[in-house]
């Protein structure tokens, strides 16, 4: 993969939560990385790939090796690709969409259900600055389980062992071992010890 001009500086800005102004050099670097992501995910989603080939494509997408225990069922899409970190034994089911510019971390042993959407950017609320983007990392702990069609909003942390029920929209942090459901997601119980 050719080096994307300004990617390291962009990642530093994104990971520090810096606003990315529309039309700025960081915005241009983000667009270039997105084009690379589109190319790689088109290859991933365009035909059958063995699990090893899927891991190789995901390593190319993220710019770092993914664990040999990582599993993904395509199709999959990522707006950016370079700010995703997967732990060991992570499974991502089909139809997931990651907007990862602000950073997505998924802990060891987590299961991400069909059609999950994880978002890490907000546009500015002021109409004249609407092209400006505000990144906020999403952190998913170890052993988390998402049901199908979960949406996670920017800046959310989901604690170890939590369960997010199908169709939930997670707008705020979820404690470890909590079971949350609904729109917006609310805690309804706790994961049992055994």
């Amino acid at each position: 993969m050719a080096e994307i001009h300004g990617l390291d500086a962009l990642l530093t800005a994104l990971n520090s939560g810096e606003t990315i102004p529309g039309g700025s050099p960081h915005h241009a670097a983000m667009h270039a990385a997105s084009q690379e992501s589109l190319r790689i995910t088109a290859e991933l989603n365009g035909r059958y790939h063995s699990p090893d080939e899927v891991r190789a494509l995901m390593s190319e997408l993220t710019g770092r090796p993914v664990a040999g225990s990582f599993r993904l069922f395509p199709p999959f899409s990522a707006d950016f690709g370079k700010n995703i970190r997967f732990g060991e034994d992570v499974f991502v089911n089909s139809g997931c969409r990651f907007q990862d510019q602000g950073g997505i971390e998924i802990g060891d042993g987590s299961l991400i259900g069909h059609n999950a959407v994880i978002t890490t950017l907000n546009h500015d609320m002021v109409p004249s600055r609407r092209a400006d983007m505000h990144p906020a990392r999403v952190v998913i702990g170890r052993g988390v389980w998402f049901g199908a069609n979960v949406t996670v909003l920017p800046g959310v942390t989901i604690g170890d062992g939590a369960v997010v029920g199908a169709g939930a929209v997670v707008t705020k942090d979820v404690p470890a071992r909590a079971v949350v459901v609904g729109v917006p997601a609310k805690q309804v119980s706790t994961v049992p010890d055994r």
Side-chain angles (χ1 to χ4, degrees):
M1 177 187 98
E3 178 64 26
I4 299 168
H5 180 70
L7 181 59
D8 289 339
L10 172 61
L11 282 167
T12 298
L14 289 167
N15 290 331
S16 67
E18 185 180 315
T19 295
I20 307 300
S24 68
H26 283 334
H27 189 250
M30 188 184 299
H31 179 73
S34 293
Q35 293 305 303
E36 179 75 0
S37 178
L38 289 170
R39 182 191 65 75
I40 295 165
T41 55
E43 170 66 21
L44 174 70
N45 298 326
R47 64 179 180 85
Y48 172 77
H49 294 281
S50 71
D52 287 341
E53 291 169 329
V54 168
R55 282 188 290 276
L57 285 164
M58 292 301 288
S59 294
E60 183 181 358
L61 176 69
T62 62
R64 65 182 54 83
V66 297
S69 59
F70 173 80
R71 294 167 292 141
L72 177 138
F73 287 176
F76 173 81
S77 68
D79 286 5
F80 185 63
K82 300 304 183 217
N83 215 359
I84 305 171
R85 288 177 175 76
F86 297 108
E88 297 279 343
D89 296 311
V90 169
F91 174 64
V92 178
N93 218 325
S94 61
C96 291
R97 297 179 178 273
F98 290 6
Q99 181 199 49
D100 65 291
Q101 288 89 337
I104 296 172
E105 298 176 22
I106 301 178
D108 297 348
S110 288
L111 308 173
I112 308 301
H114 290 89
N115 302 315
V117 175
I118 302 174
T119 64
T120 65
L121 284 179
N122 278 315
H123 288 277
D124 202 278
M125 291 297 288
V126 176
S128 64
R129 295 194 314 260
R130 193 63 46 88
D132 294 358
M133 290 172 274
H134 305 285
R137 180 171 303 281
V138 169
V139 178
I140 299 167
R142 294 183 312 272
V144 172
W145 173 28
F146 283 12
N149 298 300
V150 166
T151 298
V152 180
L153 298 188
V156 167
T157 295
I158 299 174
D160 293 349
V163 175
V164 181
V169 176
V170 185
T171 61
K172 61 183 181 179
D173 291 354
V174 173
R177 301 177 60 83
V179 177
V180 299
V181 299
V183 180
K186 291 185 168 79
Q187 185 170 352
V188 294
S189 64
T190 303
V191 173
D193 288 333
R194 294 169 134 332

